[in-house]
Amino acid sequence: MSDSPENIGDLSRRILLQRAAAAGLLAVPAAGMLSACAGSEPTKSADSGAAKSKDNPFGVKDGSAVKVVVFNGGLGDQWAKEDKVVFNAKHPNITVNMSSTQKIKTEEQPKMATQPSDLVMNSGADMMDRSTLINEGAIEPLDDLLTAPAWDGEGTVADTLLPGTVTDGTQNGKFYVVNVAYTVWGNWHNAALFKREGWTAPTTWDEFFALAPKIKAKGIAPYVHDAAHGYYPRWALFASIWKAVGKQPIIDIDNLKDNAWKADGIVAALEPWEKLVKDKLLLPGKLDHTQSQQAWLDGKAAFIQVGTWLKNEMSATIPPGFELTMSDYWSKPGDKAPKDVYASSGEGFVVPSKAPNKEAAKEFLRAILSKAGSAKFAELTKSLASTKGSGDNVQDTALNSANSLVKGGSGELISVKFPDFYADLDKESQNLAEELMAGRLTAQQFVDKMQAAADKVAKDSSVKKQTRTA
């Protein structure tokens, strides 16, 4: 996304990245910046006097106002303006003051301890560090939102969400982050080009390496990626590791288990990426996210790996007849989880603890997660929302290929949590991913350095440890 991202949620450009992984690009907020939030009594909203009901479960007061800040990245912000329409159809006497920015941390963090906005979309490269916000008590737990009635259907809000969305937004046993986008990651190719050339899109690394010489013979680089932001290639590396070794070794990595990075199969999972670089199958140049995506659209490379925001982000420059088509990350013989798909919720909203109108903020989140709101999101962004069924009525080849990928998967979603748990380890993983994809590290060296970085965090008593169970 522009200026790029995740959260993605816990995974975000995204979370995830999204699952947001982007937080590691910037310094972690100083403890003093948010210290006024920690341990202090949150500012209480004025007594609304409004009766709570199914249509107003938080007792939002007519005549009040809610300030909503939206991240205007690769998904744009028009979808959020449509949510404002949905919200005001039910609450016409509540004023929604909405603004858009890419400078979330720069503009919003200084206000967190005094008078913050009511609802903030914490995403992009300039996002606030999630763990710091939670540990400092700067954002509100939103478990009551999950148990609130769904906006326009039966059951609760939690019942309407896609798998992983609640888990992605949960930390320390409480739900803090409402991820509104559901991102699928994988390899993209132009199906029209492949049809013209008679090429079959590979599903395995062996098939890719067999096809690569034919691609090069046409003057096209087999692969391109964002070489400027380390969390882009890192998504692909993590997907390869998970597919090779399965879920439990990743849980061990997230939990800082001794020698978790040295588990059998992890180095081998990364060796195809090392080979891709050594065989000069990458388009040369340190291109960033939009530059690499444009190079792919210009026909300079056959494959690119990114998430489902791709079409919306590049909509203005997609050539006529270009068929954006996503397929899964490639697997190897003997992989333990080859059909597991990298998909997660991202683009997370948070409610500051000192927000003056938390009730209206939660109510606006219900509107965002509504059937009408999520359908507009999918229509406008060509990406899934985290609400079930958001893309069911959208006719789009890019979105449909992502839907097919998820439906054809095992049902288990690839997820990596340590980027959201530990900002320093997150940043190091991004740096090392860049080094591996630049040919300055081998797969073995990457793993060794990641283990050393994890050991450093594990031994640091000043770092609050997180535990993942599933």
Side-chain angles (χ1 to χ4, degrees):
M1 303 187 163
S2 301
D3 204 53
S4 194
E6 185 162 345
N7 171 320
I8 269 244
D10 284 346
L11 288 164
S12 203
R13 192 164 119 172
R14 291 208 141 354
I15 177 195
L16 117 287
L17 99 142
Q18 223 195 268
R19 286 59 196 174
L25 295 175
L26 302 167
V28 179
M33 179 66 75
L34 300 176
S35 60
C37 300
S40 60
E41 181 69 20
T43 299
K44 296 182 179 179
S45 303
D47 184 6
S48 69
K52 296 182 179 181
S53 66
K54 181 178 180 180
D55 282 339
N56 189 6
F58 304 109
V60 182
K61 180 182 179 180
D62 273 354
S64 66
V66 58
K67 181 171 175 53
V68 180
V69 178
V70 178
F71 173 70
N72 188 8
L75 297 175
D77 62 358
Q78 184 58 43
W79 59 271
K81 296 174 184 176
E82 297 292 338
D83 290 325
K84 182 177 177 180
V85 175
V86 172
F87 179 87
N88 280 139
K90 186 172 286 191
H91 299 290
N93 298 319
I94 298 172
T95 301
V96 179
N97 296 314
M98 180 177 289
S99 61
S100 302
T101 183
Q102 292 186 354
K103 299 296 183 183
I104 297 296
K105 179 178 177 180
T106 300
E107 297 175 8
E108 294 302 313
Q109 183 167 296
K111 300 184 289 186
M112 293 295 283
T114 54
Q115 179 118 337
S117 304
D118 297 299
L119 182 60
V120 179
M121 186 176 177
N122 187 36
S123 186
D126 190 32
M127 71 188 292
M128 298 177 285
D129 180 64
R130 165 175 155 162
S131 290
T132 301
L133 292 176
I134 293 171
N135 293 337
E136 293 282 353
I139 56 176
E140 189 83 354
L142 300 172
D143 299 273
D144 55 345
L145 173 67
L146 294 177
T147 58
W151 182 270
D152 48 10
E154 297 300 319
T156 65
V157 169
D159 294 332
T160 70
L161 300 178
L162 284 169
T165 305
V166 174
T167 301
D168 292 342
T170 299
Q171 191 162 321
N172 301 338
K174 295 182 180 180
F175 181 69
Y176 288 97
V177 182
V178 180
N179 294 313
V180 298
Y182 203 73
T183 301
V184 185
W185 284 267
N187 291 315
W188 292 84
H189 68 279
N190 176 8
L193 168 66
F194 275 59
K195 290 172 188 175
R196 288 196 301 268
E197 299 295 342
W199 298 337
T200 300
T203 60
T204 67
W205 277 108
D206 287 343
E207 290 172 356
F208 167 72
F209 287 123
L211 179 61
K214 299 177 183 178
I215 295 173
K216 291 186 74 173
K218 293 292 182 177
I220 303 172
Y223 212 88
V224 66
H225 77 294
D226 178 346
H229 301 103
Y231 54 93
Y232 273 79
R234 186 189 59 183
W235 290 324
L237 302 183
F238 287 168
S240 293
I241 292 172
W242 178 295
K243 285 177 174 292
V245 302
K247 182 177 185 178
Q248 187 57 51
I250 299 297
I251 292 178
D252 293 342
I253 284 173
D254 290 338
N255 289 338
L256 302 178
K257 183 177 178 180
D258 288 347
N259 294 321
W261 279 94
K262 297 182 179 180
D264 289 344
I266 291 182
V267 172
L270 300 178
E271 287 176 340
W273 293 104
E274 180 184 337
K275 175 178 171 59
L276 184 151
V277 175
K278 286 185 176 180
D279 289 358
K280 300 186 184 306
L281 303 181
L282 278 175
L283 184 68
K286 191 170 184 177
L287 307 178
D288 66 15
H289 56 295
T290 53
Q291 291 169 335
S292 59
Q293 289 163 189
Q294 189 59 54
W296 175 68
L297 290 171
D298 291 340
K300 296 178 181 178
F303 292 99
I304 187 171
Q305 78 84 27
V306 287
T308 41
W309 63 81
L310 174 63
K311 183 168 185 177
N312 192 70
E313 185 165 60
M314 306 303 293
S315 60
T317 60
I318 297 173
F322 197 103
E323 296 181 24
L324 292 85
T325 306
M326 172 182 270
S327 57
D328 200 4
Y329 289 114
W330 303 313
S331 59
K332 303 188 293 47
D335 279 357
K336 293 183 178 180
K339 301 293 283 184
D340 289 3
V341 175
Y342 204 160
S344 66
S345 60
E347 306 303 329
F349 276 94
V350 297
V351 177
S353 296
K354 289 183 174 288
N357 199 350
K358 292 192 285 288
E359 294 81 11
K362 295 175 186 179
E363 185 69 351
F364 198 86
L365 285 169
R366 279 208 316 139
I368 292 175
L369 298 172
S370 68
K371 292 179 181 178
S374 61
K376 272 294 183 182
F377 179 94
E379 175 189 337
L380 292 168
T381 67
K382 302 301 184 288
S383 185
L384 294 173
S386 57
T387 302
K388 296 174 182 175
S390 66
D392 288 353
N393 297 316
V394 179
Q395 298 303 313
D396 179 79
T397 55
L399 182 58
N400 291 342
S401 66
N403 284 338
S404 296
L405 174 56
V406 173
K407 291 177 181 178
S410 67
E412 183 75 69
L413 300 181
I414 295 170
S415 64
V416 183
K417 303 296 187 185
F418 79 80
D420 291 306
F421 290 168
Y422 309 109
D424 287 345
L425 189 55
D426 173 29
K427 184 176 181 179
E428 181 67 3
S429 71
Q430 295 177 40
N431 293 339
L432 294 177
E434 283 189 50
E435 293 295 291
L436 175 62
M437 296 303 292
R440 292 188 290 267
L441 287 179
T442 65
Q444 183 66 62
Q445 289 169 331
F446 175 90
V447 168
D448 290 343
K449 287 180 179 293
M450 280 304 306
Q451 184 62 64
D455 290 343
K456 182 178 179 180
V457 174
K459 294 174 183 177
D460 188 343
S461 60
S462 69
V463 176
K464 184 174 181 178
K465 305 304 190 293
Q466 309 292 336
T467 300
R468 173 183 182 178
T469 57

